[in-house]
Amino acid sequence: MKNITNYYYDVAPADRSYQGNEPLTYSYPAVLPIGQIIVVKVRTKRVRAFVIKQVQKPSFKAKAIDEVVENMVLPQSLLASFEWLLRYYPASFGSISSTFLPVLPTPPKPKSAKPAVKLAAKSSELPKLTDSQARILSDIVSSKSTTHIVHGDTGTGKTRLYIELARQFIEHGKSVIIMTPEISLTPQIAKQFAEQFSNVITLHSGVSEAKRKVIWHTLLTSVEPFIVIGPRSSLFAPVRDLGAVIIDEFHDQAYKQTQAPRYNALRLAATLCRNSDAKLIMGSATPPIDDYYYANLNGAVTHRLTEKPHTATASVESKIIVLSDPSEQSKQPLLSKSALSAIQQSLARKQQILVFLNKRGTSRLVLCEDCGWSAHCVRCDIPYTYHQDSHLLICHTCGKNETPRSSCPSCGSPNIFFKKPGTKAIEDNLRREFPQAEIRRYDKDNKKSERFAEHHEEIVAGNVDILVGTQLLTKGHDLPRLGLVIVCLAEDSLQFPDYQAAERTFQLLHQIRGRLGRSDVNGSLILQTFSNSSQLLDYVSHADNSWQAFYEQQLRQRREYRYPPFSYLLKISVSRKTDASSLENIQKIHTLLTSKKFTQIEVLGPSPAFKFNEHGAFNYQIQIGR
């Protein structure tokens, strides 16, 4: 009987059921390349996997590899990113591996009449580049720097610039990944690219598994360049000869993966580009303060884009309405007299109206109805959160708490209210006030058939008079007939217990303002607030010129309170089925962290998490600063 020589390999099982922290070793009677996609048995379950490295024969009897998927090898750039992710972020081996091999690629069926992807180049007519766009295009292409920030005001044509950048790389045989913050934005930008290129692929969790298998096979085996468009998961596409990763709206929080394996897509994209000798291009009208600061500190090149295309001739006027002003109070809650009058005028002009309520992280609002005062933690300069069960104001950073006041310490008014407004109530009020108008509400409570994406063409055509909704309506949508935007509580999100609340509020309101003035329809922005004591709304009102001033003001404030980018912050969370168990475990961690072993850190807490009792579990947290 002929002896068979076995070779041994460390492999990464791409299955979340594998919770180990080390690779597994298997045997195979042939030499396999690093990155080879295989099928192995973990216990009794067949799972997809890929080869990490060849190793010496182990001291134990290694299982044999069940199957080698012919001609399926992950690119070396992806393998390098995999190794970096393992080192940088704590997570189980299986959960990280599964993101790099979400499906087992299979070739398309031969009987398919149409190819999965067309590769012929095409080009439809586009508006001529503005001088600013042309200059930035030339600078990025010729620059030796690998990281570029396109800081472009809303409506200045960042997508138009992305198309020309992609064309430069495609013509040189290089693929491009275009990232969007959310799946809902992918079809819009994919349509714009598909009008210019035929080798466009959209890849996200909404694509069927059968189609993803074909896409993965195509990307792994084709020598042609592709444009891959999708959310953060598109970074795991097996793209060969990568020329650039372009991240649109790179300030968006959706680029952070909040479930295992947790990661920041901006950092992962930078690592992938470094491993591929590719360029990282990040675009936003409101760059994130921390990332903008770090990127420039480390040599990134910033390109300022302020010139709007010649087709955008409209202007935008902003107005701040203080709801506590008696002359503005109407019979409709959260809608001032000025707002109701503006809606009536816009309806008469056949213009579209957007009424926005920010629901992100909204706890019960605790503020004075007369002057707008709200309670803040003295230690952290962060708003308290009201807990109805204990009737306490609690700081979710340091744990400090106090009993709510019965009267306002600023003006003495007893009108302290605890409210949680909703889009449904605003929709109902508008229907009573304007029964002749076509009104639609868009938020997370919509059924699938009612969602914004399902009615996009109808909305763009102007068949809906008034749109009522949350952040879904603010992200990148082009509504040419939009003439009025009303923000019901412009400073609502400032009450969120986070040092980044002002930044995120500014970004959000700036994006809302950017929905106006994108065509030839003049726009009006009404910002309603109970207090205009913050300078933030003034920044938003003059959005085209105010970002730098806001950025510098935020840096001064963060330096004073020792927040990032001038420090490091780490949050440790404990979740248990009972309050006592959760508190006991977080206190054990607190005792360890405050011991003499850790003298160079500052420990804040423990405190209840912002969502203290969620899904039947009690949550506590500790903040660590350095």
Side-chain angles (χ1 to χ4, degrees):
M1 186 174 177
K2 189 176 179 181
N3 289 330
I4 298 176
T5 302
N6 274 328
Y7 299 85
Y8 297 90
Y9 301 94
D10 276 354
V11 310
D15 193 279
R16 290 177 180 271
S17 64
Y18 177 59
Q19 294 293 308
N21 295 317
E22 299 291 338
L24 299 178
T25 304
Y26 290 81
S27 67
Y28 193 72
V31 175
L32 298 175
I34 306 304
Q36 173 67 55
I37 296 174
I38 58 178
V39 177
V40 298
K41 276 187 180 174
V42 178
R43 297 184 179 90
T44 59
K45 182 181 179 181
R46 275 172 52 93
V47 303
R48 58 194 183 276
F50 53 90
V51 173
I52 297 176
K53 63 180 178 180
Q54 186 175 342
V55 296
Q56 296 296 318
K57 181 179 179 179
S59 59
F60 54 87
K61 184 179 179 180
K63 288 183 180 180
I65 291 172
D66 264 23
E67 179 186 345
V68 173
V69 185
E70 190 176 353
N71 299 321
M72 295 284 106
V73 180
L74 290 179
Q76 290 301 307
S77 57
L78 267 190
L79 293 173
S81 294
F82 167 73
E83 292 173 359
W84 175 82
L85 202 60
L86 277 173
R87 294 192 306 269
Y88 196 82
Y89 292 106
S92 69
F93 215 87
S95 67
I96 292 178
S97 304
S98 63
T99 60
F100 286 84
L101 193 59
V103 295
L104 191 60
T106 55
K109 295 179 181 179
K111 64 180 181 181
S112 177
K114 295 173 96 178
V117 182
K118 296 179 183 177
L119 296 177
K122 67 177 181 179
S123 177
S124 61
E125 188 175 348
L126 282 170
K128 182 182 177 182
L129 291 174
T130 64
D131 292 343
S132 296
Q133 290 169 333
R135 173 179 48 78
I136 293 172
L137 173 66
S138 175
D139 289 348
I140 291 177
V141 170
S142 61
S143 173
K144 292 182 179 180
S145 176
T146 57
T147 304
H148 297 264
I149 295 173
V150 178
H151 182 187
D153 294 339
T154 51
T156 54
K158 291 187 288 297
T159 303
R160 176 73 181 89
L161 176 60
Y162 300 156
I163 288 172
E164 290 309 313
L165 283 165
R167 197 187 309 280
Q168 293 285 328
F169 291 106
I170 289 290
E171 288 177 353
H172 287 83
K174 297 285 188 179
S175 292
V176 179
I177 295 174
I178 311 287
M179 293 175 62
T180 62
E182 294 182 2
I183 293 175
S184 62
L185 295 177
T186 302
Q188 180 175 298
I189 196 167
K191 181 177 183 293
Q192 293 173 285
F193 272 83
E195 290 171 353
Q196 303 301 313
F197 309 96
S198 293
N199 51 343
V200 175
I201 289 177
T202 57
L203 187 60
H204 51 71
S205 60
V207 176
S208 69
E209 183 170 335
K211 189 172 182 180
R212 274 187 286 157
K213 287 181 177 182
V214 174
I215 289 172
W216 267 69
H217 179 272
T218 304
L219 291 173
L220 276 169
T221 58
S222 177
V223 295
E224 300 288 341
F226 287 88
I227 296 172
V228 178
I229 300 177
R232 57 180 182 265
S233 58
S234 61
L235 288 174
F236 302 103
V239 175
R240 299 184 181 278
D241 296 320
L242 183 65
V245 174
I246 299 175
I247 306 180
D248 191 29
E249 309 291 3
F250 81 102
H251 65 274
D252 201 289
Q253 289 298 297
Y255 286 121
K256 288 186 179 180
Q257 169 86 1
T258 57
Q259 288 137 3
R262 295 171 175 83
Y263 64 89
N264 185 328
L266 304 185
R267 290 184 174 83
L268 182 59
T271 300
L272 178 61
C273 288
R274 186 166 57 249
N275 295 332
S276 308
D277 195 24
K279 291 195 175 183
L280 175 63
I281 301 156
M282 302 182 289
S284 174
T286 53
I289 290 172
D290 291 357
D291 292 298
Y292 187 84
Y293 181 85
Y294 286 130
N296 283 292
L297 200 65
N298 293 317
V301 180
T302 298
H303 308 272
R304 194 74 174 93
L305 183 59
T306 58
E307 182 185 359
K308 291 192 176 183
H310 302 301
T311 54
T313 58
S315 61
V316 178
E317 292 185 356
S318 300
K319 185 176 183 180
I320 299 172
I321 301 295
V322 180
L323 291 171
S324 56
D325 182 350
S327 67
E328 286 291 352
Q329 292 171 1
S330 73
K331 60 182 179 181
Q332 303 293 356
L334 298 185
L335 289 170
S336 63
K337 288 182 178 178
S338 292
L340 293 171
S341 174
I343 292 174
Q344 188 65 63
Q345 293 172 29
S346 293
L347 288 172
R349 290 193 292 263
K350 306 293 184 183
Q351 292 179 350
Q352 213 163 40
I353 299 140
L354 192 159
V355 179
F356 172 80
L357 178 67
N358 181 23
K359 292 286 287 182
R360 179 195 175 275
T362 302
S363 62
R364 285 185 172 270
L365 294 177
V366 183
L367 50 82
C368 175
E369 227 172 338
D370 291 339
C371 74
W373 167 89
S374 63
H376 281 58
C377 172
V378 177
R379 164 63 183 79
C380 303
D381 193 40
I382 284 176
Y384 280 124
T385 297
Y386 174 62
H387 286 252
Q388 187 177 20
D389 53 351
S390 59
H391 191 56
L392 284 175
L393 299 172
I394 300 177
C395 174
H396 286 282
T397 297
C398 70
K400 180 178 171 58
N401 65 79
E402 62 178 68
T403 303
R405 298 171 182 265
S406 58
S407 62
C408 175
S410 179
C411 71
S413 168
N415 295 325
I416 306 293
F417 73 86
F418 304 80
K419 292 185 179 180
K420 195 172 186 179
T423 51
K424 184 66 172 67
I426 294 172
E427 177 194 17
D428 292 341
N429 292 335
L430 286 169
R431 289 192 186 281
R432 285 193 292 269
E433 192 75 24
F434 305 102
Q436 78 284 9
E438 179 64 27
I439 302 173
R440 302 270 183 89
R441 173 176 53 85
Y442 296 101
D443 55 29
K444 66 179 181 180
D445 294 327
N446 289 136
K447 298 175 183 176
K448 185 175 181 180
S449 61
E450 299 171 340
R451 291 174 185 169
F452 185 90
E454 301 295 321
H455 302 275
H456 182 261
E457 292 184 8
E458 184 183 8
I459 294 167
V460 170
N463 296 333
V464 179
D465 298 315
I466 303 176
L467 305 168
V468 181
T470 54
Q471 290 188 46
L472 169 71
L473 295 176
T474 70
K475 295 185 177 182
H477 298 298
D478 194 355
L479 305 174
R481 300 193 63 179
L482 187 66
L484 172 66
V485 172
I486 297 169
V487 182
C488 291
L489 290 173
E491 294 182 296
D492 180 14
S493 53
L494 285 179
Q495 307 306 315
F496 191 73
D498 190 326
Y499 76 94
Q500 294 176 304
E503 175 185 3
R504 291 174 183 168
T505 301
F506 177 83
Q507 290 168 340
L508 179 67
L509 296 180
H510 190 108
Q511 290 293 325
I512 294 169
R513 188 182 192 274
R515 297 314 99 210
L516 294 163
R518 300 174 75 91
S519 59
D520 58 352
V521 177
N522 291 331
S524 296
L525 172 68
I526 293 179
L527 301 169
Q528 296 187 146
T529 178
F530 276 101
S531 170
N532 192 25
S533 58
S534 167
Q535 193 178 4
L536 187 139
L537 296 189
D538 290 328
Y539 287 134
V540 175
S541 298
H542 305 90
D544 290 341
N545 305 307
S546 63
W547 185 88
Q548 189 65 33
F550 173 76
Y551 172 72
E552 291 171 359
Q553 180 265 340
Q554 281 293 295
L555 286 183
R556 287 193 297 272
Q557 185 172 325
R558 293 187 187 188
R559 186 180 282 111
E560 178 183 353
Y561 287 95
R562 294 178 58 210
Y563 286 128
F566 304 106
S567 67
Y568 295 97
L569 283 182
L570 172 68
K571 181 175 76 173
I572 299 177
S573 302
V574 169
S575 181
R576 292 291 186 273
K577 291 296 182 183
T578 67
D579 186 1
S581 176
S582 185
L583 184 58
E584 179 185 359
N585 280 277
I586 199 74
Q587 285 175 338
K588 286 180 181 178
I589 297 172
H590 180 268
T591 299
L592 174 64
L593 292 174
T594 52
S595 67
K596 293 181 180 179
K597 188 177 180 180
F598 301 100
T599 58
Q600 295 183 326
I601 61 173
E602 182 180 8
V603 181
L604 299 177
S607 66
F610 177 65
K611 295 182 178 179
F612 174 57
N613 191 346
E614 186 179 32
H615 303 306
F618 293 84
N619 306 294
Y620 284 90
Q621 67 185 36
I622 287 174
Q623 300 264 11
I624 300 174
R626 183 179 178 188

